[in-house]
Amino acid sequence: MAGTAEIDPQLVISYKFPESTYSYTERDAALYALGVGACSRDPVDDNELKYVYHQDGQQSIEVLPTFASLFSAGLQSQIIEMPGLVFDPRLLLHGQQYIEIYKPLPSNGCILNKATVSGLHDKGKSTVLEVEILSYEKESGVQLCMQRAAVYLRGAGGFSQSPQPYSYTKYPSGQISTYKIPKSQPFVVFEECTHPSQALLYRLSGDYNPLHSDPRVAEIAGYLLN
């Protein structure tokens, strides 16, 4: 794995992200739905067709709640430029995404995003950076959602200055509840298959991480192609 990592935790956790905006149309919402597999099994399934087509016009389509993950599409480039955070961007992984939706997402609009560093954790051989994003309709000021994104920086750990690994979170202990997986058998089992080229379609929604499209980058990151 290539690249030299260097992390200054105080610079990272004190960093103030600039506010950003994200504008989209009905076409973007429909393209995202197709990219995550809508109508891939049945192109006329009413339960999924509503995300890509509506008889009253595209402005009436419904928007998948997870479309909100695109609101902070420019976050990765901002993380790469953060002061106090030097790492090989080819080894960056999107580790986790938590979303709370407060209102149905409109089929088009301009979104104002306010992001803050909410966590930084030294995992030894890697680092986990957590960012909280609050998203609002720019025109009305109404909050639509809150997201917490965890970014996994491979090869960028080991920056702790004490025997105890460095770990920072902005949330008081117990504020974020941990979901416990029941020990009982699941009530429903659903299996879904992704298409071999689906990542190439999904990336058109703005996730241009070359890890999903460039075999050379995937190989550098340690992933073997079948």
Side-chain angles (χ1 to χ4, degrees):
M1 295 183 182
T4 300
E6 183 177 338
I7 295 178
D8 184 328
Q10 292 307 312
L11 282 179
V12 173
I13 66 175
S14 62
Y15 179 70
K16 305 297 183 183
F17 286 99
E19 293 184 356
S20 64
T21 57
Y22 178 82
S23 297
Y24 67 95
T25 67
E26 300 87 348
R27 181 182 183 278
D28 300 313
L31 179 62
Y32 171 83
L34 293 172
V36 296
C39 299
S40 60
R41 291 190 176 194
D42 182 357
V44 293
D45 181 352
D46 287 340
N47 291 325
E48 298 185 5
L49 189 61
K50 62 185 179 182
Y51 297 114
V52 298
Y53 168 79
H54 196 283
Q55 61 184 8
D56 294 333
Q58 283 300 103
Q59 73 278 2
S60 298
I61 65 171
E62 295 185 29
V63 179
L64 284 168
T66 52
F67 181 74
S69 64
L70 299 185
F71 293 169
S72 56
L75 184 63
Q76 179 173 321
S77 60
Q78 294 184 47
I79 289 175
I80 293 175
E81 300 297 328
M82 282 180 65
L85 191 62
V86 179
F87 64 97
D88 188 339
R90 295 173 297 182
L91 304 182
L92 180 151
L93 293 176
H94 185 172
Q96 188 178 40
Q97 191 83 15
Y98 172 86
I99 306 176
E100 289 184 0
I101 301 291
Y102 305 131
K103 284 191 61 179
L105 303 180
S107 60
N108 63 78
C110 182
I111 308 300
L112 174 65
N113 299 300
K114 300 179 180 180
T116 57
V117 175
S118 57
L120 182 68
H121 311 280
D122 185 351
K123 297 297 184 179
K125 293 183 178 181
S126 61
T127 289
V128 174
L129 173 69
E130 298 170 335
V131 180
E132 180 184 88
I133 307 104
L134 306 180
S135 298
Y136 306 80
E137 279 186 307
K138 186 176 181 180
E139 184 174 353
S140 67
V142 173
Q143 185 175 0
L144 295 176
C145 62
M146 181 276 289
Q147 303 182 66
R148 298 189 186 107
V151 179
Y152 194 75
L153 309 177
R154 300 168 63 202
F159 61 86
S160 302
Q161 299 297 315
S162 65
Q164 185 71 19
Y166 182 90
S167 183
Y168 160 81
T169 179
K170 65 174 284 187
Y171 306 110
S173 178
Q175 179 174 334
I176 300 179
S177 59
T178 302
Y179 181 77
K180 295 182 179 179
I181 300 177
K183 295 182 179 180
S184 59
Q185 292 296 314
F187 298 109
V188 177
V189 175
F190 179 79
E191 296 183 357
E192 183 69 88
C193 295
T194 57
H195 297 287
S197 61
Q198 191 166 329
L200 297 177
L201 175 60
Y202 174 78
R203 70 188 298 271
L204 299 180
S205 290
D207 185 355
Y208 295 121
N209 187 337
L211 180 63
H212 306 298
S213 57
D214 190 327
R216 293 165 296 183
V217 173
E219 184 177 2
I220 291 173
Y223 295 97
L224 299 178
L225 301 178
N226 295 325

